[in-house]
Amino acid sequence: MRHKTKPFHYIIIYAIVLFFVAISVYPVLRVITISLRPGDNLLTRSLRIIPEDATFENYIKLFTNEPFLLWVRNSVLVTITVTIIGVVLASMAGYAFSRHKFPGRKLGLHSLLITQMFPATMLLLPLYIMISKLGLINSFLGLIIMYSATALPFCIWLMKGYYDTIPPSLEEAANVDGASKFTAFYKVILPLAAPALVIAALFSFMTAWNEYIIAAQVLWYEDMFTIPLGLKSFQGNMTTEWGLYAAGAIVISIPVVALFLFLSKWLVSGLTLGSVKE
Amino acid sequence: MAKVVLENVTKIYDNDFEAVADISLTAKDKEFVVLVGPSGCGKTTTLRMIAGLEDISKGKVYIGDKVVNNVLPKDRDIAMVFQNYALYPHMTVYDNMAFGLKLRKTPKEEIIQRVEEAADLLGIEELLDRKPKQLSGGQRQRVALGRCIVRKPKVFLFDEPLSNLDAKLRVQMRAEIIKLHNKLKTTIIYVTHDQVEAMTMGDRIVVMKDGYLHQYDTPVEIYNNPTNKFVAGFIGSPSINFFEGKLKKSDGDIVFAGDGFSVDVPDEFEDKLKDYAGKEITLGIRPEDVYHKPYSTSADYPANFVANVEVVEPLGSEFQVNFLVGDTTFRARLEPKEEPVMGEDMDVVFDMKKAHFFDNKTEETIV
């Protein structure tokens, strides 16, 4: 017999769920509301989600009057590169850490973990000095290096953890079947590690797409801005263009939401990785 | 097809643990050799060294006439069935079987033909489009076999392939592997911890323990003439009975005096046993060489005494009986017509011609 939940319990459960949904959805709704308000209506006290004289004016302005598309291009360029670097390097480094014994393996793993204990802001100064000595200020390469360095340790650990759950006899079978070490990795292990690869990709993507503080140190010129820097530039000394700001925020969150929805199937199985055998 | 030769092969792990110690053996072309021993005896390590999945610390491994110590697994032309089957989970049965052929750039028509041939042989034609997780244990086992067969390698290596199957299926697959070997005539090296599997499948058996090779011979020879106490105890089910005792002389005859009984030793053994007179020694006798006196006509050299019936297990085809004599329990397989009664004393006969004697110190077989 299945345990029956009483109606009273349902009410409580739904109340709690609704409360948390409200907390997480409300800010987003407010941003949408603000992005739809006409410029002269910013400080209204109306709580309507879609304002009375709603307009897409801010969105149109964003794409026509501002270098928004340029920022999108910059962000896409940086993000995709970081994602590719993150996935490629993490998938191989994680494999090495998982399967091979070599001097410094433990030290390597631990130092990767330790880097995760420092907040990025703490690393700003040393990273800045390094990047400037390398002459990479105001270059995407500098930014990409910094992002990759932030994203990689987590991704490597993630991949290593996932490879650990794949029985080594699969590679051995492939080796005996006639595959070289790389072929066995590429044709047998990598496809099986797809869920972890998706998480690694997502993590790298998020690291680069949303990042502001590091980008603000490395990139100085407006035409090199990534989206978060661009949005921040709407905040002037005298006024802040909240409408544009909100519209921009909505637009840049679309790819992230789409990506999460698209990958959610993998995500769920990916997040429980290693908890169950097979 | 090729012979496999191991020459003084030793495996020492990084932590100085010696997993395999100085093993030399030859598996002839087309021979079915079984490596058997308790877990941790080094049998799997030995197999993995032949496969090239484990480095060889000392010694040489030949496949055919070629030393393969430094040849990668992929170039050794071997095929291996793993204990957990190690099927590629993301590939269909067909792709699993075709994987090795594709890597060798075999023409597509030939791949199809070979896979279908193997599938037909194993009765898995209908499964070719399925993924491994949709298969039962027995089917997975067949696919793993199929993956080996299609490649037509020089040597098959089996690493406890049946240990994940239930008892009934195990017996069935055992027979199929024997049939397969008869058909394909490929050299097989097979690892198992199950002595029944070893006895039933192997042309020759390698008995291993603690990294050492204890005996390498045909099943019958190993059963009848074990080289030491370990081999005698490991091979045979139910296992051989051991008795501690002393050899004594009485009226010119040698007698084995155990705990609460004594039995006469056949004359032809006396020569070999003469140095042990008056010394501690171990007697080994297999359960089928123990008789109830009225039914002991087939015993060549009967020696009788009285023992108490402790436990009776009627199996239909026979009774397995635990007897108690002194403080020692021993096991006998009696004919079904005898009906021993628990708790009663019985006249027990040992066929001393079939008995074995072991040195207590070295545990080597004396007779």
Side-chain angles (χ1 to χ4, degrees), chain A residues 52-77:
Chain A
E52 278 168 48
D53 33 8
T55 159
F56 283 105
E57 187 189 328
N58 285 320
Y59 289 89
I60 295 160
K61 245 167 85 189
L62 191 68
F63 283 99
T64 51
N65 291 5
E66 306 289 339
F68 186 72
L69 280 176
L70 185 66
W71 300 336
V72 168
R73 193 210 67 171
N74 293 344
S75 264
V76 166
L77 186 77

PDB file of all heavy atoms in Angstrom, chain A residues 52-77:
ATOM      1  N   GLU A  52       1.429  49.399 -18.090  1.00  0.00           N
ATOM      2  CA  GLU A  52       0.285  49.834 -18.909  1.00  0.00           C
ATOM      3  C   GLU A  52       0.687  50.152 -20.339  1.00  0.00           C
ATOM      4  O   GLU A  52       0.128  49.640 -21.276  1.00  0.00           O
ATOM      5  CB  GLU A  52      -0.351  51.063 -18.273  1.00  0.00           C
ATOM      6  CG  GLU A  52      -1.311  50.697 -17.155  1.00  0.00           C
ATOM      7  CD  GLU A  52      -1.700  51.912 -16.344  1.00  0.00           C
ATOM      8  OE1 GLU A  52      -2.052  52.933 -16.984  1.00  0.00           O
ATOM      9  OE2 GLU A  52      -1.632  51.840 -15.102  1.00  0.00           O
ATOM     10  N   ASP A  53       1.725  50.984 -20.464  1.00  0.00           N
ATOM     11  CA  ASP A  53       2.126  51.339 -21.835  1.00  0.00           C
ATOM     12  C   ASP A  53       3.412  50.596 -22.216  1.00  0.00           C
ATOM     13  O   ASP A  53       4.429  51.197 -22.540  1.00  0.00           O
ATOM     14  CB  ASP A  53       2.324  52.842 -21.971  1.00  0.00           C
ATOM     15  CG  ASP A  53       2.858  53.436 -20.677  1.00  0.00           C
ATOM     16  OD1 ASP A  53       3.211  52.622 -19.769  1.00  0.00           O
ATOM     17  OD2 ASP A  53       2.954  54.655 -20.580  1.00  0.00           O
ATOM     18  N   ALA A  54       3.328  49.302 -22.098  1.00  0.00           N
ATOM     19  CA  ALA A  54       4.509  48.477 -22.368  1.00  0.00           C
ATOM     20  C   ALA A  54       5.054  48.720 -23.762  1.00  0.00           C
ATOM     21  O   ALA A  54       4.287  48.929 -24.701  1.00  0.00           O
ATOM     22  CB  ALA A  54       4.153  47.007 -22.219  1.00  0.00           C
ATOM     23  N   THR A  55       6.393  48.691 -23.861  1.00  0.00           N
ATOM     24  CA  THR A  55       7.010  48.939 -25.158  1.00  0.00           C
ATOM     25  C   THR A  55       8.323  48.172 -25.268  1.00  0.00           C
ATOM     26  O   THR A  55       8.968  47.889 -24.255  1.00  0.00           O
ATOM     27  CB  THR A  55       7.297  50.447 -25.333  1.00  0.00           C
ATOM     28  OG1 THR A  55       8.293  50.601 -26.322  1.00  0.00           O
ATOM     29  CG2 THR A  55       7.815  51.054 -24.041  1.00  0.00           C
ATOM     30  N   PHE A  56       8.688  47.852 -26.498  1.00  0.00           N
ATOM     31  CA  PHE A  56       9.965  47.166 -26.725  1.00  0.00           C
ATOM     32  C   PHE A  56      11.076  48.157 -27.038  1.00  0.00           C
ATOM     33  O   PHE A  56      12.160  47.778 -27.466  1.00  0.00           O
ATOM     34  CB  PHE A  56       9.833  46.151 -27.869  1.00  0.00           C
ATOM     35  CG  PHE A  56       9.127  44.895 -27.431  1.00  0.00           C
ATOM     36  CD1 PHE A  56       7.822  44.646 -27.803  1.00  0.00           C
ATOM     37  CD2 PHE A  56       9.775  43.977 -26.618  1.00  0.00           C
ATOM     38  CE1 PHE A  56       7.177  43.500 -27.399  1.00  0.00           C
ATOM     39  CE2 PHE A  56       9.125  42.834 -26.207  1.00  0.00           C
ATOM     40  CZ  PHE A  56       7.825  42.576 -26.584  1.00  0.00           C
ATOM     41  N   GLU A  57      10.764  49.416 -26.793  1.00  0.00           N
ATOM     42  CA  GLU A  57      11.687  50.512 -27.099  1.00  0.00           C
ATOM     43  C   GLU A  57      13.112  50.223 -26.608  1.00  0.00           C
ATOM     44  O   GLU A  57      14.088  50.394 -27.326  1.00  0.00           O
ATOM     45  CB  GLU A  57      11.123  51.758 -26.420  1.00  0.00           C
ATOM     46  CG  GLU A  57      11.823  53.036 -26.725  1.00  0.00           C
ATOM     47  CD  GLU A  57      11.283  54.122 -25.788  1.00  0.00           C
ATOM     48  OE1 GLU A  57      10.070  54.051 -25.421  1.00  0.00           O
ATOM     49  OE2 GLU A  57      12.066  55.005 -25.410  1.00  0.00           O
ATOM     50  N   ASN A  58      13.195  49.734 -25.345  1.00  0.00           N
ATOM     51  CA  ASN A  58      14.519  49.477 -24.775  1.00  0.00           C
ATOM     52  C   ASN A  58      15.278  48.415 -25.554  1.00  0.00           C
ATOM     53  O   ASN A  58      16.477  48.520 -25.747  1.00  0.00           O
ATOM     54  CB  ASN A  58      14.387  49.036 -23.325  1.00  0.00           C
ATOM     55  CG  ASN A  58      14.058  50.213 -22.428  1.00  0.00           C
ATOM     56  OD1 ASN A  58      14.606  51.305 -22.606  1.00  0.00           O
ATOM     57  ND2 ASN A  58      13.144  49.999 -21.498  1.00  0.00           N
ATOM     58  N   TYR A  59      14.543  47.387 -25.968  1.00  0.00           N
ATOM     59  CA  TYR A  59      15.190  46.310 -26.712  1.00  0.00           C
ATOM     60  C   TYR A  59      15.694  46.823 -28.055  1.00  0.00           C
ATOM     61  O   TYR A  59      16.801  46.497 -28.483  1.00  0.00           O
ATOM     62  CB  TYR A  59      14.218  45.151 -26.919  1.00  0.00           C
ATOM     63  CG  TYR A  59      13.934  44.404 -25.629  1.00  0.00           C
ATOM     64  CD1 TYR A  59      12.889  44.797 -24.801  1.00  0.00           C
ATOM     65  CD2 TYR A  59      14.711  43.324 -25.253  1.00  0.00           C
ATOM     66  CE1 TYR A  59      12.624  44.136 -23.618  1.00  0.00           C
ATOM     67  CE2 TYR A  59      14.460  42.648 -24.070  1.00  0.00           C
ATOM     68  CZ  TYR A  59      13.412  43.046 -23.249  1.00  0.00           C
ATOM     69  OH  TYR A  59      13.164  42.386 -22.089  1.00  0.00           O
ATOM     70  N   ILE A  60      14.842  47.622 -28.696  1.00  0.00           N
ATOM     71  CA  ILE A  60      15.239  48.145 -30.007  1.00  0.00           C
ATOM     72  C   ILE A  60      16.459  49.049 -29.859  1.00  0.00           C
ATOM     73  O   ILE A  60      17.440  48.933 -30.594  1.00  0.00           O
ATOM     74  CB  ILE A  60      14.062  48.910 -30.659  1.00  0.00           C
ATOM     75  CG1 ILE A  60      12.932  47.911 -30.942  1.00  0.00           C
ATOM     76  CG2 ILE A  60      14.500  49.594 -31.946  1.00  0.00           C
ATOM     77  CD1 ILE A  60      11.580  48.543 -31.117  1.00  0.00           C
ATOM     78  N   LYS A  61      16.410  49.874 -28.835  1.00  0.00           N
ATOM     79  CA  LYS A  61      17.539  50.772 -28.584  1.00  0.00           C
ATOM     80  C   LYS A  61      18.829  49.996 -28.322  1.00  0.00           C
ATOM     81  O   LYS A  61      19.913  50.357 -28.774  1.00  0.00           O
ATOM     82  CB  LYS A  61      17.228  51.683 -27.386  1.00  0.00           C
ATOM     83  CG  LYS A  61      17.128  53.143 -27.790  1.00  0.00           C
ATOM     84  CD  LYS A  61      16.522  54.006 -26.713  1.00  0.00           C
ATOM     85  CE  LYS A  61      17.499  54.492 -25.667  1.00  0.00           C
ATOM     86  NZ  LYS A  61      16.765  55.143 -24.534  1.00  0.00           N
ATOM     87  N   LEU A  62      18.638  48.935 -27.587  1.00  0.00           N
ATOM     88  CA  LEU A  62      19.791  48.102 -27.219  1.00  0.00           C
ATOM     89  C   LEU A  62      20.529  47.620 -28.456  1.00  0.00           C
ATOM     90  O   LEU A  62      21.757  47.622 -28.524  1.00  0.00           O
ATOM     91  CB  LEU A  62      19.287  46.909 -26.401  1.00  0.00           C
ATOM     92  CG  LEU A  62      20.320  46.051 -25.689  1.00  0.00           C
ATOM     93  CD1 LEU A  62      20.973  46.845 -24.576  1.00  0.00           C
ATOM     94  CD2 LEU A  62      19.650  44.811 -25.106  1.00  0.00           C
ATOM     95  N   PHE A  63      19.757  47.181 -29.438  1.00  0.00           N
ATOM     96  CA  PHE A  63      20.391  46.598 -30.629  1.00  0.00           C
ATOM     97  C   PHE A  63      20.788  47.653 -31.654  1.00  0.00           C
ATOM     98  O   PHE A  63      21.628  47.390 -32.501  1.00  0.00           O
ATOM     99  CB  PHE A  63      19.453  45.573 -31.274  1.00  0.00           C
ATOM    100  CG  PHE A  63      19.436  44.274 -30.516  1.00  0.00           C
ATOM    101  CD1 PHE A  63      18.415  43.983 -29.619  1.00  0.00           C
ATOM    102  CD2 PHE A  63      20.453  43.350 -30.685  1.00  0.00           C
ATOM    103  CE1 PHE A  63      18.396  42.797 -28.925  1.00  0.00           C
ATOM    104  CE2 PHE A  63      20.443  42.162 -29.993  1.00  0.00           C
ATOM    105  CZ  PHE A  63      19.420  41.878 -29.100  1.00  0.00           C
ATOM    106  N   THR A  64      20.128  48.842 -31.627  1.00  0.00           N
ATOM    107  CA  THR A  64      20.420  49.833 -32.663  1.00  0.00           C
ATOM    108  C   THR A  64      21.338  50.942 -32.180  1.00  0.00           C
ATOM    109  O   THR A  64      22.313  51.277 -32.840  1.00  0.00           O
ATOM    110  CB  THR A  64      19.114  50.442 -33.211  1.00  0.00           C
ATOM    111  OG1 THR A  64      18.332  50.893 -32.098  1.00  0.00           O
ATOM    112  CG2 THR A  64      18.337  49.423 -34.016  1.00  0.00           C
ATOM    113  N   ASN A  65      21.066  51.492 -30.984  1.00  0.00           N
ATOM    114  CA  ASN A  65      21.853  52.657 -30.537  1.00  0.00           C
ATOM    115  C   ASN A  65      23.116  52.279 -29.788  1.00  0.00           C
ATOM    116  O   ASN A  65      23.992  53.088 -29.613  1.00  0.00           O
ATOM    117  CB  ASN A  65      20.998  53.535 -29.614  1.00  0.00           C
ATOM    118  CG  ASN A  65      19.895  54.214 -30.394  1.00  0.00           C
ATOM    119  OD1 ASN A  65      19.748  53.941 -31.587  1.00  0.00           O
ATOM    120  ND2 ASN A  65      19.143  55.062 -29.723  1.00  0.00           N
ATOM    121  N   GLU A  66      23.163  51.081 -29.279  1.00  0.00           N
ATOM    122  CA  GLU A  66      24.299  50.702 -28.442  1.00  0.00           C
ATOM    123  C   GLU A  66      25.114  49.597 -29.134  1.00  0.00           C
ATOM    124  O   GLU A  66      24.587  48.867 -29.961  1.00  0.00           O
ATOM    125  CB  GLU A  66      23.796  50.137 -27.100  1.00  0.00           C
ATOM    126  CG  GLU A  66      22.845  51.044 -26.352  1.00  0.00           C
ATOM    127  CD  GLU A  66      23.556  52.267 -25.774  1.00  0.00           C
ATOM    128  OE1 GLU A  66      24.796  52.189 -25.619  1.00  0.00           O
ATOM    129  OE2 GLU A  66      22.884  53.276 -25.503  1.00  0.00           O
ATOM    130  N   PRO A  67      26.397  49.465 -28.764  1.00  0.00           N
ATOM    131  CA  PRO A  67      27.221  48.415 -29.386  1.00  0.00           C
ATOM    132  C   PRO A  67      26.945  47.033 -28.778  1.00  0.00           C
ATOM    133  O   PRO A  67      27.850  46.266 -28.531  1.00  0.00           O
ATOM    134  CB  PRO A  67      28.653  48.873 -29.100  1.00  0.00           C
ATOM    135  CG  PRO A  67      28.559  49.725 -27.887  1.00  0.00           C
ATOM    136  CD  PRO A  67      27.185  50.305 -27.843  1.00  0.00           C
ATOM    137  N   PHE A  68      25.676  46.786 -28.517  1.00  0.00           N
ATOM    138  CA  PHE A  68      25.329  45.547 -27.815  1.00  0.00           C
ATOM    139  C   PHE A  68      25.745  44.297 -28.600  1.00  0.00           C
ATOM    140  O   PHE A  68      26.290  43.345 -28.043  1.00  0.00           O
ATOM    141  CB  PHE A  68      23.821  45.536 -27.542  1.00  0.00           C
ATOM    142  CG  PHE A  68      23.378  44.371 -26.695  1.00  0.00           C
ATOM    143  CD1 PHE A  68      23.688  44.317 -25.348  1.00  0.00           C
ATOM    144  CD2 PHE A  68      22.673  43.318 -27.257  1.00  0.00           C
ATOM    145  CE1 PHE A  68      23.289  43.255 -24.574  1.00  0.00           C
ATOM    146  CE2 PHE A  68      22.275  42.250 -26.483  1.00  0.00           C
ATOM    147  CZ  PHE A  68      22.586  42.215 -25.140  1.00  0.00           C
ATOM    148  N   LEU A  69      25.491  44.326 -29.906  1.00  0.00           N
ATOM    149  CA  LEU A  69      25.831  43.147 -30.721  1.00  0.00           C
ATOM    150  C   LEU A  69      27.326  42.868 -30.712  1.00  0.00           C
ATOM    151  O   LEU A  69      27.758  41.712 -30.725  1.00  0.00           O
ATOM    152  CB  LEU A  69      25.341  43.339 -32.154  1.00  0.00           C
ATOM    153  CG  LEU A  69      23.848  43.056 -32.337  1.00  0.00           C
ATOM    154  CD1 LEU A  69      23.428  43.363 -33.764  1.00  0.00           C
ATOM    155  CD2 LEU A  69      23.540  41.610 -31.993  1.00  0.00           C
ATOM    156  N   LEU A  70      28.096  43.956 -30.653  1.00  0.00           N
ATOM    157  CA  LEU A  70      29.547  43.799 -30.584  1.00  0.00           C
ATOM    158  C   LEU A  70      29.925  43.081 -29.285  1.00  0.00           C
ATOM    159  O   LEU A  70      30.750  42.170 -29.262  1.00  0.00           O
ATOM    160  CB  LEU A  70      30.202  45.179 -30.651  1.00  0.00           C
ATOM    161  CG  LEU A  70      31.733  45.177 -30.716  1.00  0.00           C
ATOM    162  CD1 LEU A  70      32.197  44.553 -32.015  1.00  0.00           C
ATOM    163  CD2 LEU A  70      32.271  46.595 -30.556  1.00  0.00           C
ATOM    164  N   TRP A  71      29.271  43.510 -28.183  1.00  0.00           N
ATOM    165  CA  TRP A  71      29.561  42.870 -26.905  1.00  0.00           C
ATOM    166  C   TRP A  71      29.163  41.399 -26.933  1.00  0.00           C
ATOM    167  O   TRP A  71      29.848  40.548 -26.396  1.00  0.00           O
ATOM    168  CB  TRP A  71      28.808  43.565 -25.764  1.00  0.00           C
ATOM    169  CG  TRP A  71      29.169  45.009 -25.612  1.00  0.00           C
ATOM    170  CD1 TRP A  71      30.333  45.601 -26.017  1.00  0.00           C
ATOM    171  CD2 TRP A  71      28.356  46.021 -25.055  1.00  0.00           C
ATOM    172  NE1 TRP A  71      30.315  46.937 -25.733  1.00  0.00           N
ATOM    173  CE2 TRP A  71      29.100  47.227 -25.128  1.00  0.00           C
ATOM    174  CE3 TRP A  71      27.081  46.069 -24.488  1.00  0.00           C
ATOM    175  CZ2 TRP A  71      28.591  48.445 -24.662  1.00  0.00           C
ATOM    176  CZ3 TRP A  71      26.587  47.268 -24.002  1.00  0.00           C
ATOM    177  CH2 TRP A  71      27.342  48.455 -24.102  1.00  0.00           C
ATOM    178  N   VAL A  72      28.010  41.152 -27.578  1.00  0.00           N
ATOM    179  CA  VAL A  72      27.561  39.752 -27.670  1.00  0.00           C
ATOM    180  C   VAL A  72      28.616  38.954 -28.423  1.00  0.00           C
ATOM    181  O   VAL A  72      29.010  37.865 -27.998  1.00  0.00           O
ATOM    182  CB  VAL A  72      26.189  39.660 -28.383  1.00  0.00           C
ATOM    183  CG1 VAL A  72      25.879  38.211 -28.746  1.00  0.00           C
ATOM    184  CG2 VAL A  72      25.096  40.239 -27.506  1.00  0.00           C
ATOM    185  N   ARG A  73      29.085  39.542 -29.510  1.00  0.00           N
ATOM    186  CA  ARG A  73      30.107  38.832 -30.288  1.00  0.00           C
ATOM    187  C   ARG A  73      31.326  38.545 -29.419  1.00  0.00           C
ATOM    188  O   ARG A  73      31.828  37.427 -29.368  1.00  0.00           O
ATOM    189  CB  ARG A  73      30.520  39.671 -31.498  1.00  0.00           C
ATOM    190  CG  ARG A  73      31.327  38.904 -32.510  1.00  0.00           C
ATOM    191  CD  ARG A  73      32.294  39.801 -33.242  1.00  0.00           C
ATOM    192  NE  ARG A  73      33.330  40.305 -32.324  1.00  0.00           N
ATOM    193  CZ  ARG A  73      34.403  40.975 -32.735  1.00  0.00           C
ATOM    194  NH1 ARG A  73      34.550  41.272 -34.003  1.00  0.00           N
ATOM    195  NH2 ARG A  73      35.313  41.387 -31.862  1.00  0.00           N
ATOM    196  N   ASN A  74      31.786  39.565 -28.689  1.00  0.00           N
ATOM    197  CA  ASN A  74      32.955  39.388 -27.827  1.00  0.00           C
ATOM    198  C   ASN A  74      32.706  38.274 -26.807  1.00  0.00           C
ATOM    199  O   ASN A  74      33.547  37.409 -26.588  1.00  0.00           O
ATOM    200  CB  ASN A  74      33.271  40.684 -27.069  1.00  0.00           C
ATOM    201  CG  ASN A  74      33.738  41.779 -27.994  1.00  0.00           C
ATOM    202  OD1 ASN A  74      34.114  41.492 -29.139  1.00  0.00           O
ATOM    203  ND2 ASN A  74      33.689  43.014 -27.536  1.00  0.00           N
ATOM    204  N   SER A  75      31.539  38.345 -26.174  1.00  0.00           N
ATOM    205  CA  SER A  75      31.222  37.362 -25.151  1.00  0.00           C
ATOM    206  C   SER A  75      31.180  35.958 -25.735  1.00  0.00           C
ATOM    207  O   SER A  75      31.707  35.016 -25.155  1.00  0.00           O
ATOM    208  CB  SER A  75      29.877  37.675 -24.502  1.00  0.00           C
ATOM    209  OG  SER A  75      30.085  38.411 -23.328  1.00  0.00           O
ATOM    210  N   VAL A  76      30.530  35.848 -26.896  1.00  0.00           N
ATOM    211  CA  VAL A  76      30.410  34.531 -27.528  1.00  0.00           C
ATOM    212  C   VAL A  76      31.794  33.984 -27.851  1.00  0.00           C
ATOM    213  O   VAL A  76      32.116  32.826 -27.567  1.00  0.00           O
ATOM    214  CB  VAL A  76      29.529  34.607 -28.803  1.00  0.00           C
ATOM    215  CG1 VAL A  76      29.675  33.350 -29.634  1.00  0.00           C
ATOM    216  CG2 VAL A  76      28.082  34.834 -28.409  1.00  0.00           C
ATOM    217  N   LEU A  77      32.637  34.858 -28.399  1.00  0.00           N
ATOM    218  CA  LEU A  77      33.986  34.449 -28.762  1.00  0.00           C
ATOM    219  C   LEU A  77      34.734  33.919 -27.537  1.00  0.00           C
ATOM    220  O   LEU A  77      35.274  32.807 -27.534  1.00  0.00           O
ATOM    221  CB  LEU A  77      34.721  35.662 -29.342  1.00  0.00           C
ATOM    222  CG  LEU A  77      36.101  35.383 -29.915  1.00  0.00           C
ATOM    223  CD1 LEU A  77      35.959  34.728 -31.272  1.00  0.00           C
ATOM    224  CD2 LEU A  77      36.904  36.679 -30.011  1.00  0.00           C
TER     225      LEU A  77
END
